[in-house]
Amino acid sequence: MKELIYKLKGDKGIWSFVALLAMFSFMPVFSASSNLAYLGHGTGNTLGYLVKHFAHICIGFVIIYWVHKIPYHYFRAISKAGLPVVWLLLAYTLIKGTVIAGANASRWIQVPFIGLSFQTSTLAAIMLFIFVARYLSKTRETPITFKSSLWELWTPVFITLMFILPANFSTTALIFSMVIMLTFIGRYPLKYIFLIIGSGILFLTFFILIAKAFPDSRFFSRVGTWGSRIENFTSNKADEDDYQIEKAKIAIASGQLYGLGPGKSVQKNFLPQSSSDFIYAIIVEEYGLVGGLGVLVLYLLLLFRFVVASHKANTLFGKLVVIGIGFPMIFQAMINMAVAVELLPVTGQTLPLISSGGSSIWMTCFGLGIILSVTKKEEEIAQEKIDKQKRDEALQKLIDRELEADTIVDIEESLETVGSNNYSITDKARNPMDAVLNK
């Protein structure tokens, strides 16, 4: 165990809080998956969902470990080359996306030969944040013109958001808000930021007007859901979302101070998406106000470590990467909690590292791995270089040894061949042509 901990580089505080959130997630997921178990096979046995969640968490930590070993500046080029690939995945999701886990939006694609579902918008968000950080760090020393930034920065941003918007408005709004925040921190001209915000509002209005003109189109099927959710949030009209909110509020009220106890939730049997979108309500019901505040504090402590990591980063790109990837995780958690207590309309945002779901956990871990790569100390980076040099030297010695062994074998085979053909390097014949004539 000590050897494993020694191999973990980067901010130990981030490692600790991530591990605490992941370990805490097992009991809520195990308990809240009962309605999925009844819908799936009618038995209510949630052990399979617990094992599945355990596998997702383990794979997630493997992703963190391997990604945090990669020097973070490599992601500059990866983000630029990866955006077109992300656009293709988003376009495929928009056309051929599937619906899973009772959700009513096509946001996932099936990975061939594996059978796993993958939510492409999570990967798109990470790639886009790194791309924006790359642009802002590259143009820090040169004056920014709106014309150049419109093509180099905002065109890729709007293309990405355009592919996500039809199926997932909440994720689009979150990504756009985080990009605006990142550009503000990166000292992008404020007048241009207001211009971009205005353009975004106009684009959204235009999109909604087109959706109203073609209400039966599959491409605009989610627009009606957005409007109804906002309308129901501001009125007392009852619908399916109100049912979810009412059950979540009952769960929170039942928890009181110390909760009903692990696994003793009642509303998990009635609350849709209780293991993902509304898992915070189940946490408060089972662990009370103490448990709910404890989870909130863990996320706030993780946010604090992100701020510290950003401040300590040696480069502007590193600072912006930590902010661009780390802050959206915390804001997503806040949105999930706010929805459960009816401070915000119902969205499809999960609770990072706690809600069930493979792609959301893995992409969160992928982002955390990049952040931890930024937080590695200079001596840790130097030690990694030394270790890499030692591995390369050992590999070269192994190759040289194999080549030497192969050379010896080749020489021995050559000598055997010469001996079998009665050739000799000593000429004992009187006539120098005897060897040829005799042959």
Side-chain angles (χ1 to χ4, degrees), residues 242-252 267 270-272 281:
D242 274 348
Y243 173 80
Q244 292 177 308
I245 290 295
E246 289 301 321
K247 293 301 179 184
K249 289 164 69 176
I250 292 172
I252 291 172
Q267 299 305 315
F270 309 101
L271 181 61

Side-chain angles (χ1 to χ4, degrees), residues 25 39 69 91-92 125 148 153 204 270 304 318 349 368 374 395 418:
S25 70
L39 290 173
K69 304 286 284 185
Y92 180 81
S148 63
L153 173 62
L204 179 62
F270 309 101
F304 173 74
Q349 300 301 318
L368 288 168
V374 176
L395 179 61
V418 171

Side-chain angles (χ1 to χ4, degrees), residues 269-287:
N269 299 311
F270 309 101
L271 181 61
Q273 305 298 321
S274 58
S275 63
S276 55
D277 297 356
F278 286 93
I279 195 169
Y280 187 70
I282 305 302
I283 291 173
V284 177
E285 183 182 11
E286 293 186 350
Y287 300 93

Side-chain angles (χ1 to χ4, degrees), residues 138-144:
K138 183 183 68 172
T139 58
R140 181 63 179 271
E141 303 300 330
T142 59
I144 298 176

Side-chain angles (χ1 to χ4, degrees), residues 268-317:
K268 66 184 180 182
N269 299 311
F270 309 101
L271 181 61
Q273 305 298 321
S274 58
S275 63
S276 55
D277 297 356
F278 286 93
I279 195 169
Y280 187 70
I282 305 302
I283 291 173
V284 177
E285 183 182 11
E286 293 186 350
Y287 300 93
L289 183 62
V290 174
L293 290 178
V295 172
L296 176 61
V297 168
L298 280 177
Y299 281 114
L300 292 177
L301 289 173
L302 190 57
L303 175 63
F304 173 74
R305 293 311 307 175
F306 288 156
V307 173
V308 173
S310 175
H311 179 71
K312 290 183 177 180
N314 296 325
T315 64
L316 177 62
F317 176 69

